[in-house]
Amino acid sequence: MSDYSEVCLKTFLKDQGKLFDEPVAGNIEEAEAFLEDCMAVVVDSIDEVREYFEEEGVDVDGLGPDELEEASEVFPLPDGKYLIVEG
């Protein structure tokens, strides 16, 4: 079973164009497989998004919460969590 909720998968399907020029998934199953392959993560808060980027060596100093949320790799989810997908 996937670690990705249905709402997470649907959000990625709907918004994948923010990160990719062409769709990488056409349905829920393809979205799940893609996210698993690229080891996408779901975090609970924008602070955890910042921590994730810092751990990955991305310079996020000076970026506010709104700017982090607008990053192409970050997909805000309806439940307040965030999906992070490395393109």
Side-chain angles (χ1 to χ4, degrees), residues 14 25 31 38 50 56 60 66:
K14 178 177 65 87
C38 68
R50 180 178 301 282
E56 295 296 312
V60 291
D66 290 342

Side-chain angles (χ1 to χ4, degrees), residues 22-71:
E22 297 181 14
V24 294
N27 58 44
I28 293 285
E29 293 79 19
E30 290 175 4
E32 182 176 29
F34 179 81
L35 294 176
E36 287 173 352
D37 286 348
C38 68
M39 296 183 287
V41 297
V42 175
V43 297
D44 292 327
S45 68
I46 199 67
D47 290 334
E48 289 185 23
V49 171
R50 180 178 301 282
E51 290 172 19
Y52 175 87
F53 282 133
E54 287 172 346
E55 288 173 7
E56 295 296 312
V58 177
D59 182 13
V60 291
D61 286 345
L63 293 182
D66 290 342
E67 293 167 306
L68 279 175
E69 195 171 286
E70 291 172 6

Side-chain angles (χ1 to χ4, degrees), residues 1-13 28-43 52 75 77 79 81-86:
M1 186 68 189
S2 168
D3 291 333
Y4 307 108
S5 67
E6 184 174 346
V7 71
C8 175
L9 295 169
K10 286 181 177 180
T11 299
F12 176 72
L13 270 175
I28 293 285
E29 293 79 19
E30 290 175 4
E32 182 176 29
F34 179 81
L35 294 176
E36 287 173 352
D37 286 348
C38 68
M39 296 183 287
V41 297
V42 175
V43 297
Y52 175 87
F75 295 80
L77 302 175
D79 62 2
K81 295 182 181 185
Y82 295 88
L83 172 66
I84 304 172
V85 181
E86 299 268 350

